[in-house]
């Protein structure tokens, strides 16, 4: 009959200042089996509302009709649903739609094919360029290395402070003659008058 | 008719679909507004529904009309799938003309008419008695 409450409703119920330590509230359908009958209801005999037999007969007839019509309506709606679904799945429109879809698919696949071809060409060109770039870089590296080697070799022939005296002596000992004569036929003559 | 919409979260054993009123949660005291809704039977009245099929405003508007909206196409679908209707929804649809008129609508109307006639004759008799007493 009385239900213990707790939580948010506690705040509001506290205003009523109950004497019990635990807060209780009245709940709908509150009498349990063991609760005694209220004093005002001791001799009460519950009587259902009176039924008019004429009205009841009429009502029964009306209800029968109503239920029959409702049953028929339900079956009709069911049939309509099934027919619609059947039409959707295997109707004339469905075939056209399927055909159109297949056509669209074919068109799209062709477009895709063309795209692939184009991309292939571009890719080939790009790969070629990259290969050439790589080759050129390799050549450059080789050239660099050759240059460095050449520089090392040249460095051996440089004139430094230690070699200075030696090289001067050598130069003075071996005079080099840069004069030469050339014929009209292109014959080179290196023998000249040394001075 | 198999209900092909997926029963996603809560699987109901032996549950059925029902077309009924659900209070639209406007959170205004003394201003109800109902949605006509297809929901599982065991769900709360205002809880999760499958589909909304219309609305019903119980308070009359400025031109003294009670506005109702109904999605007949979808109602047909659900009834075809085997949904039940509650009494008020059946009565409303009967008044709308989609279903046959519910027997209780007719009987209530007849009873009300009888009541009004009784009170009218009662007042007439009362008036007549009063006049007779006055004459006497």
């Amino acid at each position: 009959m009385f239900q213990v409450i707790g939580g948010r409703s506690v705040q509001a119920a506290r205003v009523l200042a109950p004497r019990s330590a635990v807060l209780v509230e009245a709940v709908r359908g509150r009498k349990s089996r063991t609760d005694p009958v209220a004093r005002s209801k001791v001799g009460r005999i519950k009587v259902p509302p009176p039924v008019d037999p004429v009205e009841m007969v009429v009502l029964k007839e009306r209800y029968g009709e109503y239920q029959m019509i409702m049953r028929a309506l339900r079956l009709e709606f069911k049939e309509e649903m099934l027919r619609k679904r059947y039409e959707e799945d295997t109707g004339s429109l469905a075939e056209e739609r399927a055909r159109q879809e297949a056509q669209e698919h074919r068109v799209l696949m062709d477009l895709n094919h063309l795209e692939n071809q184009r991309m292939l060409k571009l890719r080939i060109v790009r790969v070629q360029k990259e290969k050439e770039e790589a080759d050129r870089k390799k050549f450059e590296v080789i050239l660099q290395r050759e240059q460095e080697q050449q520089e090392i070799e040249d460095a051996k022939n440089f004139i430094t402070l230690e070699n200075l005296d030696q090289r001067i002596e050598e130069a003075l000992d071996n005079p080099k003659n840069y004069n030469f004569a050339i014929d009209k036929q292109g014959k080179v003559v290196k023998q000249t008058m040394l001075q | 008719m198999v209900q092909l919409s997926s029963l996603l979260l809560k699987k109901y054993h032996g549950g059925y679909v029902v077309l009924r009123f659900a209070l639209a949660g406007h959170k205004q005291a003394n201003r109800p507004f109902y949605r006509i809704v297809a929901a599982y039977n065991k769900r709360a009245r205002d809880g999760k529904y499958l589909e909304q099929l219309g609305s019903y405003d119980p308070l009359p508007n400025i031109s003294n009309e009670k506005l109702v909206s109904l999605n007949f196409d979808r109602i047909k679908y659900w009834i075809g799938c085997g949904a039940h209707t509650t009494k008020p929804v059946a009565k409303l649809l009967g008044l709308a003309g989609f279903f046959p008129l519910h027997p209780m609508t007719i009987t209530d109307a007849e009873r009300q008419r009888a009541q009004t006639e009784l009170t009218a004759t009662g007042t007439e008799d009362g008036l007549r008695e009063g006049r007779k007493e006055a004459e006497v």
Side-chain angles (χ1 to χ4, degrees), chain A residues 42-96:
Chain A
V42 159
R44 183 170 183 233
I45 304 165
K46 276 199 272 190
V47 170
V51 171
D52 190 11
V54 178
E55 206 190 28
M56 192 37 124
V57 166
V58 170
L59 250 187
K60 273 210 159 45
E61 208 186 285
R62 281 191 194 145
Y63 260 110
E65 235 182 77
Y66 179 75
Q67 272 154 11
M68 191 166 56
I69 299 174
M70 283 303 291
R71 224 182 307 137
L73 265 180
R74 262 190 253 274
L75 291 172
E76 264 205 43
F77 290 156
K78 201 177 193 178
E79 204 197 315
E80 199 184 316
M81 281 275 321
L82 286 168
R83 191 175 297 152
K84 248 196 246 181
R85 200 157 285 212
Y86 180 74
E87 282 275 325
E88 232 180 286
D89 288 337
T90 56
S92 51
L93 284 169
E95 279 181 39
E96 278 182 37

Side-chain angles (χ1 to χ4, degrees), chain A residues 73-158:
Chain A
L73 265 180
R74 262 190 253 274
L75 291 172
E76 264 205 43
F77 290 156
K78 201 177 193 178
E79 204 197 315
E80 199 184 316
M81 281 275 321
L82 286 168
R83 191 175 297 152
K84 248 196 246 181
R85 200 157 285 212
Y86 180 74
E87 282 275 325
E88 232 180 286
D89 288 337
T90 56
S92 51
L93 284 169
E95 279 181 39
E96 278 182 37
R97 248 185 287 147
R99 244 187 295 133
Q100 287 219 353
E101 271 182 53
Q103 204 181 341
E104 275 182 48
H105 185 76
R106 246 181 286 135
V107 164
L108 287 168
M109 289 299 279
D110 292 335
L111 278 172
N112 196 24
H113 191 66
L114 286 169
E115 267 292 310
N116 286 351
Q117 297 282 322
R118 188 172 69 90
M119 291 308 279
L120 181 73
K121 283 183 200 142
L122 287 171
R123 208 184 331 133
I124 286 167
V125 166
R126 196 176 6 110
V127 162
Q128 195 88 25
K129 275 191 197 148
E130 275 175 16
K131 211 163 45 137
E132 282 169 16
E133 278 276 328
D135 287 341
R136 200 159 51 77
K137 281 210 178 104
K138 254 194 279 180
F139 275 137
E140 272 178 23
V141 165
I142 290 166
L143 272 169
Q144 197 85 15
R145 247 179 255 150
E146 279 184 17
Q147 272 182 12
E148 279 171 19
Q149 278 177 1
Q150 197 135 34
E151 282 221 20
I152 290 164
E153 282 184 30
D154 285 341
K156 288 183 191 151
N157 293 344
F158 286 167

